[in-house]
Amino acid sequence: MTDPLLDPLFTTAEASKAFSPAARLQAMLDFEAALARAEAAVGVIPEGAVPAIVAACDAALYDADALGAEAALAGNTAIPLVKHLTARVKQADAEAARFVHWGATSQDAMDSGLVLQLRGFIDGLDADLKELSDALAALADRHRATPMVARTWLQHALPTTFGLKAAVWLDALGRDRERLAAARGRLALQFGGAAGTLAALGGAGPAVADALARELDLPLPALPWHASRDRITELASALGILAGTLGTIGRDVSLMMQMEVAEAFEPSAPGRGGSSTMPHKRNPVSCAVLLSTAIRAPALVGGLLAAQVQEHERGLGGWHAEWQALPDLARIVAGAARHAGGMIGGVTVDAGRMRANLDLTRGLILAEAVTMALGERMGRLAAHSRVAEASRRAAAEHRPLRDVLEEDAEIVAALGAEGLDRLFDPLNYTGSAEHFIDRVLAAHAKHQ
């Protein structure tokens, strides 16, 4: 059900359209039209029956509210849809009406229709993810030498670069896209008839299935998968993991947007991120959407995983549990992906504030760098003890660590004044950050 108040915030128009009632009906009707063409092609039904059936396979011809009311009694949407489709075909060609839905079952129409919806949705989602990936790649390259604080357990740890942070996001997103592509590739035709044997078609079942798969441009599975829902849960899991990746980006950016940190900000625009009472506010709107999706997605994925356990050849209840949960999951993840792309594409980075935050500890953030350099002269444990004591003094006396270390003649003799200067330049202690960025950017470029 669409919500004009909240859908613009939490999803995209494309995702809403992909899972709209009209799209659901049209996908099932596309299956029915393709089935008629496939069966005629292999001689199971008369070629003359096809035009009337295909002409009636237009969702605009049907009343979704009426179908929904009948589905409440029938147990699924396909049953009343096939009934109304048959009646409409009969008005045009009574003989053709005999061959509507020939040899198929309601789950064939609903599952194959869902697969058609999902494949189109995933293609659209990946287009947004590519835009986000490209923006992250540009950000990583542009800020490969922009030093900032690396935080562990929310505390200052060591220097890093903002480029590496963006590369970490990009690397995870690349794996998300691979998972989605793999899941899309396993979404296949569903066509098994009442019990997954195509018994109603006699010996023609495999030929019809092959022709139907070609008609719908869907992979032909080894056999029907009515009660084997791993294809659905694989996609749901990939969407859930993607939600976590997007949530991580949202968490990091929102933390950097805090006024006490003020290192990066979402794009600013009239009406964006304001407050109903505080004129000065610049709230992280996109981050809120990313985080809300990361909160909501696990429950939806969990429900779909629970629904995977189904009974015998066709399940009871588990299949029904997918019908709303999977579209809901897809819609919110699409919304988060769109928000992330817009946010990263227009993010404001305050490199000066990042550098200033590195200096908040008066050099303590580079204590490890000094310890490693000093350890080459006096051993790691001795160096660690010496620098730890100097760090305690610097913190207690609110003095720069370098000044305290310079008062230790043995340290100055070992490292020299210029050596201390080099050690207290954050960009000299970012390790393999640029190497890691290059590797991620190379992988990104390879998969474009």
Side-chain angles (χ1 to χ4, degrees), residues 327-352:
D328 285 351
L329 175 63
R331 277 190 288 259
I332 62 172
V333 172
R338 181 69 58 82
H339 269 278
M343 177 180 73
I344 294 299
V347 68
T348 301
V349 178
D350 190 336

Side-chain angles (χ1 to χ4, degrees), residues 356-368:
N357 285 342
L358 274 167
D359 295 332
L360 286 178
T361 61
R362 301 184 184 88
L364 292 178
I365 197 169
L366 288 159
E368 183 189 78

Side-chain angles (χ1 to χ4, degrees), residues 359-403:
D359 295 332
L360 286 178
T361 61
R362 301 184 184 88
L364 292 178
I365 197 169
L366 288 159
E368 183 189 78
V370 177
T371 299
M372 296 304 294
L374 194 59
E376 294 179 4
R377 275 82 170 175
M378 62 176 61
R380 190 186 67 82
L381 287 178
H384 186 279
S385 176
R386 202 69 158 264
V387 176
E389 176 57 30
S391 296
R392 283 191 288 272
R393 281 185 54 202
E397 298 170 10
H398 305 290
R399 297 172 59 201
L401 176 60
R402 190 194 183 288
D403 290 355

Side-chain angles (χ1 to χ4, degrees), residues 196-242:
T197 63
L198 289 177
L201 296 177
V208 172
D210 185 62
L212 179 56
R214 289 196 303 272
E215 285 283 346
L216 292 172
D217 192 25
L218 292 177
L220 178 66
L223 44 68
W225 46 278
H226 291 137
S228 298
R229 311 309 290 177
D230 57 285
R231 289 175 171 84
I232 299 301
T233 52
E234 179 183 26
L235 174 59
S237 298
L239 289 171
I241 295 169
L242 170 59

Side-chain angles (χ1 to χ4, degrees), residues 402 406 411-424:
R402 190 194 183 288
E406 205 167 27
I411 290 178
V412 173
L415 300 177
E418 290 185 2
L420 282 173
D421 287 340
R422 286 193 299 272
L423 289 169
F424 280 93

Side-chain angles (χ1 to χ4, degrees), residues 119-176:
R119 284 166 67 91
F121 163 76
I122 294 170
D123 291 344
L125 174 61
D126 190 64
D128 279 347
L129 294 179
K130 182 184 183 304
E131 181 178 324
L132 172 58
S133 296
D134 290 343
L136 286 171
L139 199 64
D141 191 39
R142 185 164 62 251
H143 289 283
R144 60 173 54 243
T146 301
M148 68 174 298
V149 175
R151 297 172 172 92
T152 61
W153 289 33
L154 294 175
Q155 305 298 304
H156 283 215
L158 295 172
T160 187
T161 68
F162 186 58
L164 182 58
K165 182 179 285 291
V168 170
W169 297 335
L170 174 60
D171 189 44
L173 192 63
R175 292 190 296 278
D176 288 316

